[in-house]
């Protein structure tokens, strides 16, 4: 396999300090010439010693040597050595990595990738080396937990990095404090860019080893059995995010999936923070918050926290866990705000099996009405009525081409790689839709 990978000619890289606004908070930036391929010649990577071990392989400290006619240099890097894969499966992984490589390099807050190589028959991913992780920081602290102000700051860094990966259609699926690296300015860097996602559907060479879509204590229910509990979507990362925050606040997070119990949320948190963490642990993926909702809750809570870790209670407006009697959470309802011109109908119960006669079978939004109590209402024109009805927005769902977000759908032609049954994650107003199928990621 190593002979089949042809590495590009090495090109010099350098780091510089980027001054944005505050001279006391510089950001380290790695600059490199345009790199056409992420492949690295295995001979230029020298493994020194192992520094970590995880469910997908080992992490080694290494040096990456680069030379040309007019220069020679080397960098200290971390290399994630994955468990062995068959040659054809290894090539599949390399192709997926190459798609991610250039997108990932443009994302601030995600570990800088040097490239990929095959070393002694194993895939090795070379990335920037950081001295420590958030897991290390927690282990050294008295009491083994962080102050709330630090949790919020790290949580904001993490949510921004995850949101950026989601924007380029990649999932992490392996969020945990040991994968949250800290740079020289104490900023959190996401050290796993989605290895479980890149390994999806690829069996290990050793048939006795089980390859899971994440690390057990931090996996969402649907990650354990995608074919049964799926589908896997962006909201799977909300669960892992919530697990990690609980560990930051309480030292140890124990799995809740097997016991089917919700984790204990620390008392005394700002309401917005408490509500969004609770939302991360909804078993129905549709009821979990999106990363934008999580980021907003953390940022709003940050303004209410004092330097000693206490909080004032100001600027943290919480959302109720359930918004109506049909099983929808506020996080579900925030995923699609109605606009004038939208076709709508009454929401059905989230997991209702029996058909119900809707109050509004179909209508068009002709006006918006936001009250002082922050309850959103809309004016809906129904064909059989002369005047539009004033209806609470949370009781309606947008319909585009006959479909709504959350609808279960079935492909007309079955695919061999996954189930034809799936759930609509989102429907755009132009009719395009994102569907997560059972046994396949969103």
């Amino acid at each position: 396999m190593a002979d089949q990978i042809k590495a590009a000619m090495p090109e010099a890289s350098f780091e510089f300090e980027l001054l944005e606004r505050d001279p006391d908070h510089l950001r380290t930036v790695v600059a490199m010439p345009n790199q056409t391929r992420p492949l690295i010649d295995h001979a230029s990577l020298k493994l020194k010693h192992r520094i970590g071990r995880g469910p997908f392989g080992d992490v080694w400290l290494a040096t990456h040597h680069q030379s040309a006619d007019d220069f020679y240099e080397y960098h200290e890097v971390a290399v994630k050595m994955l468990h062995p894969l068959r040659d054809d499966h290894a090539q599949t992984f390399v192709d997926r990595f190459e798609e991610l490589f250039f997108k990932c390099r443009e994302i601030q807050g995600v570990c800088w990738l040097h490239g990929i190589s095959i070393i002694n028959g194993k895939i090795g991913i070379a990335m920037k080396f950081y001295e420590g992780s958030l897991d290390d920081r927690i282990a050294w602290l008295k009491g083994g937990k962080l102050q709330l102000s630090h949790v919020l700051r790290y949580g904001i860094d993490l949510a921004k990095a995850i949101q950026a990966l989601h924007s380029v259609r990649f999932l992490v699926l392996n969020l945990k404090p040991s994968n949250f690296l800290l740079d020289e300015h104490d900023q959190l860097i996401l050290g796993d860019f989605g290895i479980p996602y890149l390994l999806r559907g690829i069996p290990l060479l050793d048939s006795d080893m089980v390859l899971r879509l994440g690390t057990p204590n931090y996996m969402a229910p649907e990650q354990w059995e995608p074919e049964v509990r799926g589908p896997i979507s962006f909201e799977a990362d909300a669960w892992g995010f919530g697990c990690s925050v609980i560990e930051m606040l309480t030292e140890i997070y124990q799995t809740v999936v097997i016991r089917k119990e919700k984790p204990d949320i620390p008392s005394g948190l700002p309401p917005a923070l408490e509500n969004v963490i609770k939302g991360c642990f909804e078993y129905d993926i549709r009821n979990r918050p999106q990363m934008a909702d999580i980021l907003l809750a953390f940022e709003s809570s940050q303004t209410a926290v004092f330097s000693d870790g206490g909080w004032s209670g100001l600027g943290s407006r919480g959302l109720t866990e359930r918004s109506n009697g049909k099983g929808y959470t506020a996080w579900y309802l925030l995923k699609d705000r109605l606009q004038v011109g939208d076709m709508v109908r009454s929401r059905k119960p989230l997991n209702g099996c029996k058909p119900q006669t809707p109050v509004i079978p179909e209508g068009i939004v002709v006006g918006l009405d936001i009250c002082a109590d922050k309850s959103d209402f809309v004016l809906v024109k129904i064909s059989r009525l002369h005047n539009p009805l004033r209806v609470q927005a949370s009781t309606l769902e947008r319909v585009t081409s006959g479909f709504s977000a959350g609808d279960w759908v079935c492909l007309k032609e079955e695919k061999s790689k996954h189930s034809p049954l799936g759930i609509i994650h989102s429907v755009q107003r132009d009719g395009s839709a994102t569907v997560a199928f059972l046994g396949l990621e969103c």
Side-chain angles (χ1 to χ4, degrees):
M1 184 66 188
D3 295 338
Q4 299 174 12
I5 294 183
K6 302 298 183 183
M9 289 296 293
E11 298 174 305
S13 64
F14 60 92
E15 294 185 357
F16 62 91
E17 298 290 317
L18 179 63
L19 174 61
E20 294 181 317
R21 294 183 180 178
D22 186 352
D24 294 327
H25 294 84
L26 303 177
R27 179 161 61 91
T28 301
V29 177
V30 181
M32 292 191 69
N34 292 331
Q35 188 173 342
T36 58
R37 298 291 302 279
L39 306 177
I40 298 175
D41 184 354
H42 67 281
S44 67
L45 286 172
K46 306 297 182 183
L47 301 182
K48 299 170 71 173
H49 58 268
R50 188 172 59 201
I51 57 176
R53 173 171 288 174
F56 305 102
D58 301 331
V59 182
W60 287 72
L61 182 65
T63 51
H64 181 204
H65 298 259
Q66 296 176 295
S67 62
D69 294 337
D70 56 348
F71 79 91
Y72 171 81
E73 66 178 14
Y74 67 91
H75 297 275
E76 199 168 50
V77 298
V79 178
K80 291 192 175 184
M81 299 294 299
L82 305 185
H83 296 307
L85 305 174
R86 271 181 21 197
D87 285 357
D88 54 338
H89 292 145
Q91 187 59 55
T92 299
F93 183 92
V94 171
D95 293 341
R96 292 175 178 176
F97 177 86
E98 188 168 355
E99 179 186 356
L100 168 69
F101 179 74
F102 296 105
K103 294 178 179 178
C104 194
R105 279 189 158 197
E106 299 172 358
I107 298 176
Q108 183 179 348
V110 177
C111 187
W112 177 267
L113 299 176
H114 285 262
I116 190 170
S117 185
I118 303 295
I119 306 172
N120 298 326
K122 296 181 181 180
I123 289 178
I125 301 172
M127 50 201 299
K128 182 178 177 179
F129 172 69
Y130 294 85
E131 291 289 345
S133 69
L134 189 58
D135 194 43
D136 300 328
R137 172 71 55 82
I138 294 173
W140 280 101
L141 288 175
K142 183 178 181 180
K145 55 185 178 182
L146 298 170
Q147 284 190 350
L148 180 56
S149 58
H150 293 162
V151 172
L152 292 172
R153 180 167 59 85
Y154 290 138
I156 289 171
D157 290 342
L158 179 60
K160 287 180 178 179
I162 299 169
Q163 186 179 30
L165 278 174
H166 287 181
S167 70
V168 294
R169 314 302 297 173
F170 280 89
L171 286 71
V172 184
L173 303 181
N174 197 27
L175 294 169
K176 56 183 179 180
S178 60
N179 279 337
F180 307 154
L181 309 175
L182 299 176
D183 68 9
E184 60 273 21
H185 303 299
D186 199 32
Q187 291 181 314
L188 186 145
I189 304 295
L190 182 56
D192 191 312
F193 40 84
I195 288 179
Y197 180 77
L198 296 177
L199 283 170
R200 66 195 188 277
I202 297 178
L204 295 176
L205 188 60
D206 187 348
S207 59
D208 292 332
M209 297 182 66
V210 177
L211 182 62
R212 296 187 175 93
L213 287 174
T215 302
N217 273 10
Y218 304 86
M219 286 165 54
E222 63 272 16
Q223 287 177 255
W224 289 86
E225 297 175 290
E227 298 82 3
V228 178
R229 300 186 183 187
I232 293 176
S233 64
F234 296 122
E235 285 81 358
D237 282 337
W239 186 288
F241 183 97
C243 296
S244 301
V245 171
I246 293 295
E247 186 164 339
M248 293 182 210
L249 291 168
T250 62
E251 182 182 5
I252 298 176
Y253 168 78
Q254 297 294 338
T255 180
V256 299
V257 176
I258 297 176
R259 297 196 308 263
K260 294 186 177 180
E261 298 174 355
K262 297 294 178 69
D264 293 329
I265 307 297
S267 60
L269 298 177
L273 182 62
E274 180 178 351
N275 282 319
V276 81
I277 294 175
K278 287 181 178 179
C280 290
F281 295 104
E282 287 288 338
Y283 282 96
D284 191 322
I285 62 173
R286 296 169 290 180
N287 274 331
R288 292 180 206 154
Q290 293 179 314
M291 206 51 59
D293 302 321
I294 294 174
L295 180 59
L296 180 61
F298 271 66
E299 289 178 334
S300 66
S301 298
Q302 194 176 38
T303 60
V305 176
F306 298 127
S307 60
D308 63 357
W311 63 281
S312 65
L314 301 176
S316 298
R317 176 178 171 271
L319 294 170
T320 55
E321 186 174 352
R322 297 286 177 185
S323 294
N324 53 44
K326 296 186 177 182
Y328 296 96
T329 65
W331 308 116
Y332 185 106
L333 301 175
L334 283 172
K335 293 178 181 179
D336 190 15
R337 304 300 293 267
L338 296 178
Q339 300 177 8
V340 173
D342 286 343
M343 186 71 69
V344 294
R345 66 188 177 200
S346 292
R347 287 190 186 276
K348 52 187 176 296
L350 189 60
N351 295 309
C353 298
K354 296 181 180 180
Q356 297 183 344
T357 302
V359 177
I360 299 178
E362 193 171 272
I364 298 177
V365 176
V366 295
L368 305 178
D369 183 7
I370 301 178
C371 300
D373 64 355
K374 303 300 182 182
S375 297
D376 291 356
F377 286 80
V378 295
L379 300 177
V380 180
K381 184 69 175 69
I382 302 176
S383 59
R384 67 176 184 271
L385 299 178
H386 178 70
N387 295 322
L389 294 178
R390 183 173 181 269
V391 185
Q392 191 167 1
S394 63
T395 65
L396 301 172
E397 60 184 6
R398 178 169 59 86
V399 182
T400 302
S401 302
F403 296 102
S404 293
D407 284 350
W408 287 91
V409 294
C410 186
L411 288 174
K412 291 182 177 179
E413 298 181 4
E414 293 191 11
K415 303 291 184 180
S416 59
K417 293 184 178 180
H418 59 80
S419 168
L421 187 64
I423 187 172
I424 295 179
H425 191 272
S426 64
V427 184
Q428 304 303 318
R429 287 177 171 82
D430 63 3
S432 60
T434 302
V435 182
F437 291 98
L438 294 175
L440 188 68
E441 76 288 343
C442 178

